[in-house]
Amino acid sequence: MFGLFSTVRGYTSEYSELFGAMAKMDDLTEREFYALSILNYCDVDTSLHLPEEIIASARAIRAKVFGELQDYYRNELKVHDFSKRLGNLMMLAHGAGETGVLMNEEMRMYATMFDVVLRTTKNDRA
């Protein structure tokens, strides 16, 4: 049972680290949120072996969003050195992606534990 607690504690600490970085971007504007959503959606996993047209299209969309973000920072927010803000946004995008991966891993672990307990219970009844 100790292994289970240490595993869950490990997931909790990883989530805390990821969310800590995300919490630093507390003044996220609505437009940045939309850009973040598009950037995450167009972050193509190359291990999926998708057709080159899809990968090229996703890259083109990401490049356009970055250009529009730079224009937004310069012209609407009047921020001339926006590198820190854009960097924080990219950390947020990465953290969100990593959180999704971590959550999938955690859910697989819970499903495996459930299967083991279910089989053990069935064997005890037989």
Side-chain angles (χ1 to χ4, degrees):
M1 199 57 138
F2 177 73
L4 171 64
F5 291 126
S6 64
T7 301
V8 172
R9 190 176 303 122
Y11 283 119
T12 303
S13 67
E14 287 184 54
Y15 279 131
S16 296
E17 289 173 19
L18 290 169
F19 283 121
M22 289 188 221
K24 292 178 183 175
M25 193 71 177
D26 61 348
D27 58 345
L28 186 71
T29 67
E30 187 175 350
R31 188 171 293 180
E32 287 174 314
F33 176 78
Y34 292 140
L36 182 62
S37 299
I38 293 167
L39 291 172
N40 280 336
Y41 183 75
C42 293
D43 190 15
V44 177
D45 182 0
T46 56
S47 69
L48 297 176
H49 305 293
L50 297 171
E52 187 57 38
E53 306 86 52
I54 293 175
I55 294 171
S57 178
R59 286 182 181 154
I61 291 169
R62 286 176 62 87
K64 183 177 181 184
V65 168
F66 280 122
E68 289 178 2
L69 271 173
Q70 290 178 24
D71 288 342
Y72 172 66
Y73 291 145
R74 282 188 193 116
N75 301 326
E76 293 187 39
L77 293 184
K78 305 294 185 205
V79 176
H80 297 289
D81 183 17
F82 51 84
S83 59
K84 181 178 178 183
R85 189 168 185 95
L86 189 59
N88 285 342
L89 189 67
M90 293 313 305
M91 282 180 46
L92 185 60
H94 178 72
E98 287 297 311
T99 301
V101 169
L102 185 61
M103 183 178 285
N104 285 336
E105 182 182 311
E106 184 178 13
M107 291 302 125
R108 277 196 307 270
M109 188 259 315
Y110 290 139
T112 302
M113 285 181 3
F114 180 77
D115 288 344
V116 168
V117 170
L118 187 63
R119 286 184 190 142
T120 303
T121 305
K122 282 184 179 181
N123 288 341
D124 288 346
R125 290 182 187 169

